[in-house]
Amino acid sequence: MKIVLPGSNGLAKSLLAIGAMASLSTISTASQPNSPNIDVDKLGQLGVVGTFSGISREFNTSLVSKSGLDSASPSIMSFSNGTVTLLAQTIPGGDINAACPYYNRDGSISKIFISGNFDKINGNSAGYVAAVDQNGKVDALQGGLDNSVNALYCDQQNGLVYFAGNFTMPVISRNSSIAEYRSKWTGGVAVYNVTSNQWQALPWKGVDGQITAIAPSADKKHVYFGGNFDSTRDGADYTPLNQIPVNLGAFGIVVGNPTADTNYNKASYILCPSGYDQPQNTLLLADKLPGYIRFNVNQPFRPSLIRLRNTQIQGRGTKTFYIQDGATNAILTLSYVDQTAGIEKFCDKACPLAQNAEYQDFRFYFQGDKGAEMTNGIVINLSDWYGMGAGLTGIELYQRDSVVSSNPNVNGYPECSNVRYQPNVETQGSWSSTSNNIHLAEYSVASIPVSQANSDASKKNVITLYPYIAESGFYDIKMAIPGCQGSNDCRSRTKVKVDVKLTPGSSVSVSQNQAQTLNEVVHLYRGYIAKSSDDFKPSISLRIDDNIVVAPDVQALNIVADTITFIRANSFTNLNGVIRADVDSNGIGADNKPPFGPLSPSLPSNSVVRALATLDDTLYIGGTFVSNSPVYSNIVGYSNGKLVPLADGGLDATVKTINTFGKQVFVGGYFTQSLGSKNKLTRIAAYNPKDSEWARVGGGLDGTVDLVAAWSPAGNDTILVTGSFTKVLADEGHHINETAVTNAVLWNMTSSSWTGAPYLNGTTKVVFSGSGENSSVGYIGGHFSSVAAARASGFASLDPRNRFHSAGLANNELLSASDGKATVSTGIYYAKDNTTAPQLIVGGQFTLPSKATNIARLLANQTWQGLGHGVNGKVLTLANANQYLLIGGEASASPAKGNSPDKGFTGLAIYDMDDGSYYDKLPHLSMNKAGSSAKGDVGRVRVNKIVVRSQNPSVIIGGNFKYAGGFECDSICFYDISTNQFTGPPTPPGGVINDMDFMQSTLVVGGTFVNKSDTSYFLTYRFDQQLWENPDKSGNALPGPVNIVAKDHRSANGTVFYLAGIDAKTKASYIRRFDGSTFMTIPISLQPNSVISGLTILPTMGDNSSGDKKGSKSKRSDISASNNGILPLDSVLVVSGVLHFSDGGHASATSFDGKTWSPMLTTVQGDGSPGSVNSLFWQIPPTPVKSRKVLSPALVILIAVAISLVLVFIVVLVGLAYVYFRNRQEAIALATAAAAITASSTLSAGPVYAKKENDPNYYNDQNAIASPNTAFTNTHDSGAHQLNTYEDTRTFTHDAPHAPHGIGSAAGVTVAAAAAAAAAGKHSDSESDVDNRIRSDSNTSTIEDVLQSTAQDVEDSQEPANNSRDNEASSDRPLSTNPFINIMEQMNRPSQSTTALLTETRSKDRLHMSDNTQYKVDLQNPVSPTNRLSNMDESTYSRHIIDNFPEVPPGEPVTHTDIVPKLDQVAPELAAAMAAVGNDTSSKKNAPIRESLKSYPVFYTKFPFTSREPGELNMKPGDRVFVIDKRDEIWWLGIIDRGSDVPLEQGIFPATYVTSEEVSPDDGDLE
């Protein structure tokens, strides 16, 4: 082997640049610089292959975590131009349920509001909600909420974000006073004001269940909330506890065990103290003694909150206390907020009081928390103390209800109260204060003379009470009426008219009778009342009613006024899952009307709403509900105050998601069809409101649909569908086949087709898209172990916009091979020449849905198609030479298993792209000579690279092998595609070739090559000198085996290559640049577990050495100093494989611009582990291959035709000679036989019918002539005549479909006569006479003419048969289409010789056939399967008829019933069963027979048929006939079944009388 080894001075001559580029930066994923913009326009098409399930240009996790995704930690990611960016990630165990974008004024996304079930996000504490900006920065929203969130809605117009879920309140409120702990926030809903960064409550505070959906109206003036709830939670039990103060100074106060110091012994000191712990501002108890403070209230009230402030004088203070009911002395339960824990705690006998200067709030808690109970006073017991004794320096008491009294002395609030609007009373007329013995508190009374009753004067006595209404809302208004029994004025009491002014411009009036014997509280009204303000104050006015009736002896009428109580009520009940909130520019609602409310009419009771969406003026509501009037199910529209059922009444099961696109409404869920028309809508459907009709979305999906959302990255006409499905169902209307998908799929509304979604390995919870300039950005959140911008199984392409494309849906993807991974090793854009369109072909280790393996091409419909059955081995390299595709890879079978590559792949295969077949004469590659492969050699054989030599028929094959067939070519072979011959270099390099390419006319190869003691890794081969050379003159430029040889196609002279390999010592990857003479080191820092699979030089948009200059498509290829002289301008070097970096990051491809490495491609596998990119390839013009000269196809065809014509002429000539001599002999024999028959007067003519080939209607042409081509040879054996040969080669024809008839044909007579004469041996003419007759007859020139003339003589002597079917005689019925049977039909045994013939014939048990095959028919054992007639072929059947011809007395005719086989011969078991049953019609006995008949074909009678012979079958039109035997083409054997009560009938019948199509009895044709 000629290898030039480096000399001693090689080191000085080798210009290595090792260390010269130490200043170049290494790869870092920390900053994640943008990957280069590849100029795909210059490449035509760019393909990426490898081992992956999803691919992205980048997967940026630097904003959140270096560790990437974790299915236990829900995440939100953005998808833009092939790049995936992790924006937010919670801790393991959390959940993200909803998210929405909030935009800046320019349309860019300011932040994303996220909600769910988590307490940390991006490492920051968060309370179930957070806002995250595009840089991953977290805003915790004032600590968030106190429990999980199900839904949210971003109201950009009003600067609000609505949250709904299982929470009670914002976290910031949990640390506040108990006064607002359970009043301002009552559960399920809250609003965050983005402008003020504060939480605010809705006017109805919450609902009694979960809210799961939020949607605005089309005009954004309303917000709808849907879920599983029935009532608001804004009643009395949920009002703020500190709104209505109690004026304790107006009541009696008693202190127990006060101190003797008069500056500290009065309770009044602490009601509104002006200072802290000052004299006459503090109450102290006696030393070391407990004490109490009793407040006696003259009128009942409902305490809600008490506020206490401890003293610290001289170290004193109250440590614990408890409160008793002033009337019952029962200890009351209190609750408070533990400021340390931020939770509500309860106490009764020992409530703690902190020793500080702050007021501490305690809520009155009653059984079941149904609200405070009425009491006339409370007792505060100071039970334990600090220092020498207990004490207080402040006390405030609040009541739950707003109360206004007619007694102005009790209406005031404490002076220190911050309540702006005091309750008060105004009177007109004569009102006075009074009390009685059953109503101790003072109340007002007006006495009106009877004479003024029903007059205007009486209406002037009016009392108006003005309550303090702290919050707008619904209230129950109750009026206390003092009992008239105590004042003894029951007869004077009358009705009053109560005018209630509710809101500005709104009031109601009610009448109330005040003649109540005892004290009573009556309910006046329930409704919405606006809160007190400067502009409006609610009021209640009482005056005497109109048109009252006065008792005769009454002198005056009394009307009374005591107290009016306003008790907060739940605003709405029977919401049935939906509530509406009104929105204005000032926030939620207005005070002059309820700013919220239910649907009217509402949904049915117990409705559960899961989805809401609006389109135009219609709100679409989906969930679980059914209404009978009007009829709707699971989805309904709401418009203009009406519920509007959708087409077909809705859907048959739950709707989980609704979204609107254009003028269509898309819904998903559990349903399978519409309610009314049963229109099949499987889990997803589209509704057209304009046409009021449902439309299918493809064929639907096989599992639940959870989300339907716009996905603008794929276009404005595309929606993303996610859920628990695994298949897209078939839809023939849109040519959609059943296709496997995984949890996510895209639907294109324009093309009505499914397409591949981003790769999402997990559960999707959130989907939304950007708008404006960000419309190409999509956002997805949920639980994922791995994601990628595009779902791609081993292959993806990059378009000029740098977007990924893959081949169809999952079912059209490359499937996993036996190792569970689909690997694509290589790809090529095949083109036969420069005039043909390229076809994408990939090879690797995978399986297609068609079961083809390891090689496939991509069709125009974006589906993969195997090349034949594929190859049974991993494909590593592809090359094309003219119409041939050369396939190289790992051998999987030895040569002994054949040449078919799908059964035994020996490392090399050739596929003819023109005729679609593999070349099966290819010699095998092996490690030993052909036929002597050692065990284990197959696994070692591999072809690593195939290159095509320009303008030459040779293809260069390199790898690990030693022989091609019997030719030795160690590691490299030259294959001539014209001659199918292998050659090779005179001295192979030895070792293993890993990669190779051409440097102009020189071959460069990389691998491991050993020459004695020297090892080299890179060689060149000069074809003209047949010389191998080692360019590494120093011997140390390449530290280990070269695995990749990549040519820089942009270099001026094609001499620049980039090499990649593994350092033999350190096992680290290295990269070198080779310019034809020198090597340059390109530094790259990869972890030892990295694998470089490919090197590629790609053009970019702009000079990468000076930044990205979009649009600057320079064609310069000179080396720039600014990129260290490594790359041409506007180019990058791409390294692909499995790349792990020192900072913990990883990539599947990284690019180098001459200065900086930047991650370029990231891939993932189905299990979440990193994938790999094996290579990038693009459309390269096919290499012109020079084929050897061969004859043109046209000339070859002409030569072949000429040879064929000569051969045909010779065959025809021989055939004509043979026919001539055979016909001459037959003519003599047949003429002699015909003459003999003509002399016989006892023969009667019978018909011979024959079958026209492939024509079932062949029975009826009564004038048809059968061609006489049956010959009998007459031989003489000891004076006896023996029939020993039968040859049937004729074709009989009949045309019109008629029933059998008795008109005989001349040909039939001729045949019969010939047979009879031959058998009897009687000749009326000698052979010479016949011959002379033929020659002398001027009217006959052929054998057929002679036979027809002779037959006509016989026919003329016969009387014509009757042509009427109704008068058929048995002798007129044809025996059979079998020639032998018809011969017998012509014989009526006219002579002893004929009888002797038949006797002799029957005595024979063996028929000798022309093909020397012997047939034995044994009728003594008809049941035997080998002898049963049903198993006989046609020849055997004919001979059976001859052998078993019935014994017929001389002179009697032989009929068809004698010839056609009987039932016991064909089906003996069936015949025996029928004989046993007889005429018994019982179903029990006949059932088995009828069951067995089902195995036979069924026909139906077309015409009536009347039997005239024993064994024939009577038939009527419409009879059902089970055909048992139909080998005879005229007469069939069958059984008629006319019903269970009629006996079965069996017999023979004409075959043309029945049909396979069912016939009605009325349809019978008698013509």
Side-chain angles (χ1 to χ4, degrees):
M1 179 173 77
K2 297 180 181 179
I3 297 181
V4 179
L5 298 176
S8 59
N9 61 346
L11 181 60
K13 296 180 180 180
S14 181
L15 302 178
L16 295 176
I18 299 176
M21 300 173 59
S23 62
L24 296 180
S25 60
T26 58
I27 300 176
S28 173
T29 60
S31 59
Q32 288 282 333
N34 291 328
S35 58
N37 288 315
I38 305 301
D39 194 347
V40 181
D41 281 335
K42 293 181 179 178
L43 303 176
Q45 301 181 66
L46 179 62
V48 182
V49 295
T51 303
F52 51 80
S53 299
I55 186 169
S56 308
R57 294 201 65 190
E58 293 180 42
F59 184 55
N60 185 356
T61 65
S62 63
L63 301 178
V64 178
S65 169
K66 296 277 193 317
S67 60
L69 296 177
D70 180 358
S71 60
S73 300
S75 307
I76 284 188
M77 292 150 290
S78 66
F79 293 73
S80 176
N81 296 324
T83 298
V84 181
T85 302
L86 181 61
L87 297 177
Q89 187 175 54
T90 75
I91 62 172
D95 207 349
I96 291 178
N97 295 330
C100 64
Y102 197 85
Y103 298 98
N104 295 314
R105 291 184 177 180
D106 62 357
S108 62
I109 291 181
S110 169
K111 57 185 69 176
I112 299 172
F113 286 87
I114 304 170
S115 63
N117 183 13
F118 53 84
D119 57 12
K120 275 192 176 182
I121 188 166
N122 291 1
N124 298 278
S125 296
Y128 305 95
V129 297
V132 179
D133 66 15
Q134 296 295 294
N135 296 317
K137 185 178 178 180
V138 176
D139 180 353
L141 306 183
Q142 303 294 314
L145 299 167
D146 65 354
N147 211 329
S148 61
V149 178
N150 300 324
L152 58 75
Y153 159 61
C154 290
D155 181 359
Q156 184 83 30
Q157 180 173 313
N158 296 299
L160 304 173
V161 181
Y162 296 80
F163 296 87
N166 302 320
F167 57 86
T168 301
M169 66 186 71
V171 171
I172 194 172
S173 295
R174 293 183 65 91
N175 296 323
S176 63
S177 164
I178 194 66
E180 294 184 352
Y181 189 84
R182 283 178 50 85
S183 56
K184 190 174 181 180
W185 317 92
T186 61
V189 64
V191 180
Y192 188 78
N193 190 308
V194 180
T195 304
S196 64
N197 292 322
Q198 291 182 344
W199 289 98
Q200 63 186 58
L202 280 87
W204 34 278
K205 302 179 181 180
V207 293
D208 62 350
Q210 288 196 43
I211 295 175
T212 54
I214 310 174
S217 62
D219 58 9
K220 301 297 191 293
K221 292 183 178 180
H222 310 286
V223 178
Y224 295 93
F225 300 82
N228 184 12
F229 54 84
D230 191 58
S231 173
T232 57
R233 298 180 74 177
D234 55 350
D237 297 332
Y238 302 101
T239 57
L241 306 179
N242 59 350
Q243 289 183 340
I244 312 297
V246 176
N247 189 4
L248 294 176
F251 308 130
I253 306 174
V254 178
V255 179
N257 292 331
T259 181
D261 190 338
T262 57
N263 287 321
Y264 298 99
N265 64 357
K266 291 182 180 180
S268 59
Y269 294 160
I270 63 174
L271 296 185
C272 275
S274 58
Y276 177 70
D277 273 355
Q278 300 295 320
Q280 297 185 8
N281 291 144
T282 304
L283 171 66
L284 300 177
L285 296 185
D287 294 349
K288 301 295 185 179
L289 290 176
Y292 61 87
I293 307 169
R294 177 184 291 273
F295 295 93
N296 296 315
V297 183
N298 291 332
Q299 58 186 20
F301 74 104
R302 299 176 190 273
S304 60
L305 181 78
I306 187 168
R307 306 186 70 199
L308 301 176
R309 184 168 62 171
N310 214 342
T311 181
Q312 299 182 75
I313 293 178
Q314 301 174 356
R316 291 172 176 260
T318 302
K319 182 181 292 186
T320 61
F321 71 97
Y322 63 93
I323 297 178
Q324 292 176 283
D325 186 298
T328 65
N329 291 325
I331 296 177
L332 304 180
T333 301
L334 304 177
S335 71
Y336 63 97
V337 174
D338 186 325
Q339 295 297 326
T340 302
I343 60 175
E344 183 179 18
K345 290 187 176 182
F346 296 87
C347 62
D348 45 24
K349 294 180 180 179
C351 295
L353 191 63
Q355 193 178 21
N356 57 40
E358 302 296 327
Y359 275 97
Q360 298 171 57
D361 296 351
F362 296 86
R363 178 173 71 96
F364 288 88
Y365 175 83
F366 293 89
Q367 185 66 33
D369 203 21
K370 297 299 183 182
E373 297 178 354
M374 298 294 288
T375 182
N376 286 324
I378 61 171
V379 180
I380 303 173
N381 296 275
L382 308 181
S383 55
D384 199 1
W385 52 89
Y386 297 100
M388 294 302 295
L392 296 172
T393 188
I395 183 171
E396 295 176 6
L397 183 65
Y398 295 85
Q399 59 184 347
R400 188 188 67 175
D401 307 323
S402 179
V403 180
V404 58
S405 174
S406 62
N407 181 1
N409 295 326
V410 298
N411 278 334
Y413 294 149
E415 294 178 358
C416 55
S417 170
N418 59 0
V419 176
R420 182 173 180 180
Y421 306 105
Q422 300 276 344
N424 66 321
V425 59
E426 295 178 354
T427 61
Q428 296 180 22
S430 55
W431 289 88
S432 60
S433 297
T434 186
S435 63
N436 59 52
N437 56 6
I438 65 172
H439 190 283
L440 300 180
E442 291 186 358
Y443 60 92
S444 298
V445 60
S447 182
I448 302 170
V450 171
S451 60
Q452 296 180 5
N454 300 321
S455 67
D456 291 338
S458 66
K459 299 176 182 178
K460 294 181 180 179
N461 293 283
V462 178
I463 185 169
T464 303
L465 298 91
Y466 296 91
Y468 167 59
I469 303 298
E471 290 183 334
S472 299
F474 285 79
Y475 288 84
D476 286 311
I477 303 175
K478 295 184 177 182
M479 181 174 67
I481 302 176
C484 61
Q485 181 177 328
S487 58
N488 197 23
D489 64 346
C490 291
R491 289 177 57 81
S492 299
R493 295 284 182 94
T494 186
K495 291 194 299 181
V496 294
K497 185 175 183 180
V498 182
D499 295 318
V500 183
K501 195 171 185 180
L502 306 172
T503 63
S506 174
S507 62
V508 296
S509 297
V510 295
S511 296
Q512 176 63 47
N513 186 4
Q514 292 189 327
Q516 309 295 333
T517 303
L518 301 175
N519 297 335
E520 190 169 342
V521 177
V522 297
H523 187 276
L524 291 179
Y525 176 77
R526 181 176 186 178
Y528 181 79
I529 301 178
K531 68 180 181 179
S532 301
S533 67
D534 291 340
D535 299 326
F536 173 75
K537 294 179 177 59
S539 63
I540 302 290
S541 299
L542 283 76
R543 63 179 176 83
I544 193 169
D545 197 18
D546 299 328
N547 302 316
I548 63 173
V549 177
V550 182
D553 56 348
V554 175
Q555 301 298 319
L557 299 175
N558 294 337
I559 58 175
V560 296
D562 188 14
T563 60
I564 304 293
T565 303
F566 294 77
I567 304 173
R568 186 67 181 269
N570 285 332
S571 298
F572 295 102
T573 58
N574 300 319
L575 293 173
N576 298 325
V578 181
I579 189 171
R580 181 206 77 249
D582 302 329
V583 183
D584 60 24
S585 59
N586 295 321
I588 305 298
D591 291 324
N592 60 352
K593 63 179 181 178
F596 54 92
L599 297 185
S600 182
S602 66
L603 297 178
S605 298
N606 302 316
S607 294
V608 178
V609 175
R610 300 178 185 272
L612 298 170
T614 54
L615 179 62
D616 296 332
D617 61 347
T618 301
L619 171 70
Y620 292 90
I621 307 168
T624 305
F625 47 81
V626 176
S627 171
N628 295 322
S629 180
V631 175
Y632 58 84
S633 174
N634 300 309
I635 188 169
V636 69
Y638 183 78
S639 179
N640 298 322
K642 296 180 180 180
L643 289 170
V644 182
L646 275 59
D648 296 337
L651 301 167
D652 67 341
T654 297
V655 171
K656 291 193 68 178
T657 181
I658 306 177
N659 220 324
T660 59
F661 306 93
K663 294 298 181 180
Q664 285 187 301
V665 181
F666 280 77
V667 298
Y670 298 97
F671 54 84
T672 58
Q673 61 186 14
S674 60
L675 192 65
S677 66
K678 307 297 184 183
N679 187 13
K680 189 175 182 181
L681 307 167
T682 309
R683 275 66 178 226
I684 186 170
Y687 185 73
N688 187 331
K690 180 180 178 181
D691 299 329
S692 296
E693 63 180 9
W694 290 102
R696 301 176 66 187
V697 178
L701 299 162
D702 71 337
T704 305
V705 171
D706 297 328
L707 277 176
V708 177
W711 188 247
S712 59
N716 296 326
D717 59 350
T718 304
I719 61 176
L720 177 60
V721 183
T722 68
S724 302
F725 48 80
T726 59
K727 291 180 182 178
V728 164
L729 300 180
D731 177 21
E732 295 181 359
H734 292 99
H735 307 288
I736 297 175
N737 297 324
E738 184 174 286
T739 307
V741 295
T742 306
N743 299 331
V745 66
L746 293 177
W747 173 255
N748 186 282
M749 294 179 285
T750 302
S751 62
S752 295
S753 62
W754 297 106
T755 60
Y759 178 71
L760 304 172
N761 187 8
T763 302
T764 304
K765 293 294 192 71
V766 173
V767 177
F768 60 91
S769 296
S771 65
E773 293 183 358
N774 294 299
S775 61
S776 63
V777 183
Y779 298 84
I780 295 177
H783 292 263
F784 305 106
S785 59
S786 55
V787 300
R791 175 181 292 275
S793 181
F795 166 80
S797 63
L798 204 63
D799 69 11
R801 295 177 59 186
N802 280 253
R803 296 180 305 180
F804 286 108
H805 298 274
S806 60
L809 298 179
N811 193 47
N812 295 323
E813 292 180 353
L814 310 176
L815 306 179
S816 296
S818 58
D819 62 354
K821 298 178 181 180
T823 297
V824 181
S825 305
T826 185
I828 187 174
Y829 287 100
Y830 166 84
K832 182 177 180 179
D833 51 49
N834 290 327
T835 64
T836 58
Q839 299 182 55
L840 171 64
I841 301 175
V842 297
Q845 193 165 25
F846 51 80
T847 303
L848 295 174
S850 64
K851 306 305 181 183
T853 57
N854 301 333
I855 189 163
R857 60 181 157 193
L858 189 63
L859 302 179
N861 62 356
Q862 293 297 293
T863 59
W864 290 108
Q865 181 189 65
L867 298 186
H869 296 293
V871 297
N872 185 23
K874 185 176 182 179
V875 175
L876 301 176
T877 182
L878 298 171
N880 69 295
N882 293 342
Q883 78 268 28
Y884 301 111
L885 177 70
L886 294 99
I887 305 166
E890 296 178 354
S892 63
S894 64
K897 290 193 175 181
N899 291 311
S900 179
D902 64 318
K903 296 179 181 178
F905 182 52
T906 60
L908 180 66
I910 298 178
Y911 186 80
D912 190 323
M913 296 291 289
D914 285 351
D915 64 15
S917 64
Y918 288 95
Y919 183 60
D920 59 0
K921 303 298 183 182
L922 191 67
H924 301 289
L925 301 179
S926 64
M927 301 302 293
N928 296 276
K929 286 188 176 181
S932 60
S933 294
K935 184 178 181 181
D937 283 347
V938 170
R940 296 166 53 197
V941 172
R942 56 186 286 154
V943 173
N944 292 322
K945 192 61 179 285
I946 302 174
V947 292
V948 179
R949 190 177 178 188
S950 179
Q951 299 299 331
N952 194 287
S954 293
V955 175
I956 316 302
I957 301 166
N960 184 31
F961 50 82
K962 294 189 179 298
Y963 292 89
F967 180 76
E968 182 178 2
C969 50
D970 191 354
S971 74
I972 186 168
C973 277
F974 303 160
Y975 175 72
D976 191 313
I977 61 173
S978 299
T979 63
N980 186 33
Q981 292 181 348
F982 279 101
T983 60
T987 54
V992 177
I993 293 179
N994 294 328
D995 202 358
M996 58 186 176
D997 208 332
F998 285 100
M999 182 173 63
Q1000 297 178 345
S1001 61
T1002 300
L1003 182 69
V1004 295
V1005 299
T1008 302
F1009 314 105
V1010 179
N1011 180 24
K1012 298 181 180 179
S1013 61
D1014 296 321
T1015 300
S1016 53
Y1017 305 116
F1018 184 67
L1019 300 175
T1020 62
Y1021 180 76
R1022 299 182 60 177
F1023 288 90
D1024 54 350
Q1025 300 179 15
Q1026 296 185 349
L1027 176 68
W1028 291 97
E1029 292 182 325
N1030 183 0
D1032 184 5
K1033 307 301 181 182
S1034 66
N1036 57 10
L1038 302 173
V1042 172
N1043 296 326
I1044 308 295
V1045 176
K1047 184 176 182 178
D1048 182 359
H1049 291 271
R1050 303 187 69 193
S1051 61
N1053 53 10
T1055 60
V1056 176
F1057 289 82
Y1058 294 86
L1059 314 177
I1062 301 294
D1063 191 307
K1065 295 180 179 179
T1066 66
K1067 306 303 180 185
S1069 299
Y1070 70 86
I1071 300 176
R1072 299 287 187 267
R1073 180 183 182 272
F1074 176 67
D1075 63 3
S1077 60
T1078 62
F1079 295 88
M1080 176 183 290
T1081 297
I1082 298 179
I1084 183 170
S1085 177
L1086 295 174
Q1087 295 296 99
N1089 57 342
S1090 298
V1091 176
I1092 296 178
S1093 301
L1095 294 176
T1096 314
I1097 304 296
L1098 296 178
T1100 60
M1101 296 180 182
D1103 183 357
N1104 284 293
S1105 65
S1106 58
D1108 182 14
K1109 298 178 182 178
K1110 293 184 179 180
S1112 176
K1113 300 181 179 181
S1114 173
K1115 295 184 179 180
R1116 294 172 58 196
S1117 59
D1118 57 316
I1119 302 299
S1120 170
S1122 60
N1123 61 23
N1124 296 286
I1126 298 175
L1127 297 167
L1129 290 176
D1130 305 337
S1131 298
V1132 290
L1133 171 65
V1134 178
V1135 178
S1136 58
V1138 182
L1139 311 177
H1140 297 278
F1141 309 131
S1142 57
D1143 65 350
H1146 60 81
S1148 300
T1150 184
S1151 64
F1152 182 62
D1153 63 2
K1155 290 195 271 186
T1156 306
W1157 288 98
S1158 302
M1160 176 180 168
L1161 296 176
T1162 302
T1163 62
V1164 294
Q1165 300 188 62
D1167 59 1
S1169 62
S1172 65
V1173 169
N1174 291 327
S1175 66
L1176 289 82
F1177 59 98
W1178 61 93
Q1179 185 178 340
I1180 299 177
T1183 302
V1185 178
K1186 184 178 181 181
S1187 301
R1188 300 181 188 277
K1189 291 184 178 181
V1190 295
L1191 293 177
S1192 66
L1195 184 58
V1196 172
I1197 292 173
L1198 288 176
I1199 295 174
V1201 169
I1203 294 173
S1204 299
L1205 289 175
V1206 172
L1207 293 176
V1208 169
F1209 177 77
I1210 295 173
V1211 171
V1212 170
L1213 187 63
V1214 173
L1216 289 174
Y1218 168 76
V1219 170
Y1220 171 77
F1221 289 107
R1222 189 194 66 176
N1223 288 347
R1224 176 178 176 83
Q1225 297 298 322
E1226 287 181 352
I1228 295 172
L1230 290 174
T1232 303
I1237 295 299
T1238 303
S1240 175
S1241 61
T1242 58
L1243 292 175
S1244 60
V1248 177
Y1249 299 105
K1251 179 178 180 180
K1252 182 179 181 181
E1253 187 173 354
N1254 297 326
D1255 186 354
N1257 305 310
Y1258 51 82
Y1259 284 118
N1260 69 321
D1261 189 356
Q1262 63 187 25
N1263 297 316
I1265 304 299
S1267 301
N1269 52 11
T1270 301
F1272 292 88
T1273 302
N1274 183 24
T1275 61
H1276 301 272
D1277 183 9
S1278 303
H1281 301 286
Q1282 181 179 3
L1283 180 64
N1284 65 354
T1285 303
Y1286 169 61
E1287 179 181 353
D1288 185 2
T1289 60
R1290 89 191 76 181
T1291 301
F1292 300 91
T1293 62
H1294 281 271
D1295 297 324
H1298 291 288
H1301 52 78
I1303 301 297
S1305 69
V1309 174
T1310 302
V1311 174
K1322 294 182 178 182
H1323 306 283
S1324 59
D1325 297 320
S1326 65
E1327 289 183 6
S1328 60
D1329 293 334
V1330 174
D1331 187 59
N1332 292 333
R1333 181 177 177 179
I1334 293 173
R1335 295 172 182 171
S1336 63
D1337 193 340
S1338 61
N1339 295 323
T1340 58
S1341 59
T1342 65
I1343 296 175
E1344 285 78 2
D1345 293 333
V1346 176
L1347 292 176
Q1348 183 171 350
S1349 175
T1350 305
Q1352 187 64 41
D1353 295 337
V1354 178
E1355 184 177 21
D1356 292 341
S1357 66
Q1358 310 297 320
E1359 293 184 4
N1362 194 335
N1363 207 18
S1364 172
R1365 190 183 306 148
D1366 294 335
N1367 297 311
E1368 286 179 341
S1370 62
S1371 61
D1372 294 329
R1373 298 181 187 271
L1375 287 175
S1376 172
T1377 56
N1378 189 288
F1380 279 100
I1381 297 174
N1382 285 294
I1383 291 171
M1384 297 306 175
E1385 183 186 33
Q1386 311 304 318
M1387 297 182 177
N1388 287 325
R1389 306 185 183 277
S1391 64
Q1392 182 64 35
S1393 61
T1394 304
T1395 304
L1397 167 64
L1398 291 174
T1399 302
E1400 180 181 356
T1401 301
R1402 276 197 303 271
S1403 68
K1404 304 298 182 180
D1405 62 354
R1406 190 176 304 275
L1407 297 174
H1408 300 283
M1409 307 302 295
S1410 60
D1411 60 356
N1412 297 324
T1413 303
Q1414 296 182 349
Y1415 293 84
K1416 177 79 173 182
V1417 180
D1418 183 6
L1419 292 181
Q1420 301 303 318
N1421 186 20
V1423 181
S1424 172
T1426 58
N1427 295 314
R1428 189 176 294 176
L1429 290 177
S1430 60
N1431 291 328
M1432 296 182 186
D1433 57 22
E1434 193 170 358
S1435 300
T1436 310
Y1437 177 69
S1438 302
R1439 284 144 183 80
H1440 162 73
I1441 296 300
I1442 294 296
D1443 259 6
N1444 296 279
F1445 200 86
E1447 295 285 350
V1448 180
E1452 293 187 11
V1454 178
T1455 69
H1456 56 290
T1457 57
D1458 298 319
I1459 304 304
V1460 177
K1462 303 300 185 295
L1463 183 64
D1464 59 351
Q1465 296 175 308
V1466 177
E1469 297 90 348
L1470 183 60
M1474 290 185 62
V1477 173
N1479 292 327
D1480 190 344
T1481 62
S1482 63
S1483 60
K1484 183 176 181 181
K1485 293 184 177 181
N1486 282 276
I1489 301 176
R1490 287 188 165 88
E1491 186 64 24
S1492 66
L1493 290 177
K1494 294 180 180 179
S1495 63
Y1496 293 94
V1498 178
F1499 287 76
Y1500 299 87
T1501 305
K1502 297 189 297 182
F1503 314 110
F1505 179 79
T1506 304
S1507 64
R1508 292 179 177 82
E1509 293 289 335
E1512 290 183 343
L1513 192 60
N1514 282 309
M1515 297 191 300
K1516 297 180 296 182
D1519 279 347
R1520 185 173 61 167
V1521 185
F1522 292 89
V1523 177
I1524 309 303
D1525 186 279
K1526 57 178 182 178
R1527 281 172 306 235
D1528 190 282
E1529 295 175 342
I1530 294 180
W1531 295 98
W1532 287 359
L1533 174 65
I1535 295 176
I1536 287 181
D1537 181 9
R1538 293 190 175 95
S1540 60
D1541 56 347
V1542 178
L1544 299 170
E1545 297 180 28
Q1546 63 95 9
I1548 64 173
F1549 59 92
T1552 56
Y1553 275 51
V1554 296
T1555 178
S1556 61
E1557 298 179 357
E1558 190 170 356
V1559 177
S1560 170
D1562 298 331
D1563 296 336
D1565 186 3
L1566 301 179
E1567 294 297 326

